[in-house]
Amino acid sequence: MTAKEAPDWYRAVTQRAKQEAPNAPEPAVQAVEYTVNCLPEDDLDSHVFEIRVQYRGNGRYAVIRMGSCLGADGTWDQGVKEYDRGDDWLDAHRFDLDTALRLAKEQAPLVTVNGYTIADAIAMRQKRAERDA
């Protein structure tokens, strides 16, 4: 949508935001997600083997993979949000950053996708490189 196509109310609020911007507080910047992976980031299959560590507030992080959330006991629980699971569930599935990254690194070599292991994915990468050479 171009500025000319925008509704009047949108153009008005955008103009007001530009006028007020010099008085706005300094923007906060925070890293909120890390990717943990045994495959190089440029690998064709990298995205499906990754584990993500995501900030969830109050200094706590979740370890996420394909719609599941890692628990402190090393098992994956379906769903990544706490919904109505309560504090016990949160305490078992939220970690300080160092713990979350450690757990994600421990799990990364164990990731499988459609029956393929990390070793399989690395072998496929090598075969593609040899074919394309």
Side-chain angles (χ1 to χ4, degrees):
M1 171 171 38
T2 66
K4 290 182 180 182
E5 295 170 333
D8 291 342
W9 66 266
Y10 180 81
R11 286 196 308 271
V13 75
T14 301
Q15 182 59 35
R16 185 167 58 95
K18 287 178 183 177
Q19 292 168 346
E20 294 172 355
N23 298 322
E26 182 71 23
V29 177
Q30 180 178 6
V32 296
E33 185 169 272
Y34 297 83
T35 300
V36 179
N37 200 331
C38 289
L39 298 180
E41 68 178 295
D42 67 343
D43 188 279
L44 175 67
D45 299 315
S46 179
H47 68 286
V48 295
F49 281 88
E50 71 188 11
I51 295 174
R52 294 187 177 262
V53 173
Q54 298 175 337
Y55 184 66
R56 295 301 173 110
N58 297 319
R60 294 172 26 146
Y61 292 78
V63 180
I64 305 296
R65 178 160 193 288
M66 304 293 276
S68 294
C69 189
L70 185 66
D73 62 358
T75 61
W76 293 92
D77 195 0
Q78 197 61 11
V80 297
K81 298 196 185 291
E82 61 272 15
Y83 299 108
D84 293 328
R85 300 182 197 197
D87 290 338
D88 289 341
W89 189 90
L90 281 174
D91 289 342
H93 294 83
R94 300 294 183 265
F95 313 97
D96 63 80
L97 179 59
D98 289 340
T99 301
L101 290 172
R102 178 181 55 78
L103 291 170
K105 286 179 179 180
E106 289 172 1
Q107 290 293 314
L110 306 176
V111 172
T112 62
V113 176
N114 294 330
Y116 293 99
T117 66
I118 295 293
D120 294 329
I122 292 170
M124 286 186 285
R125 177 185 175 90
Q126 181 62 35
K127 284 180 185 177
R128 283 191 300 266
E130 290 169 1
R131 179 193 69 211
D132 295 341

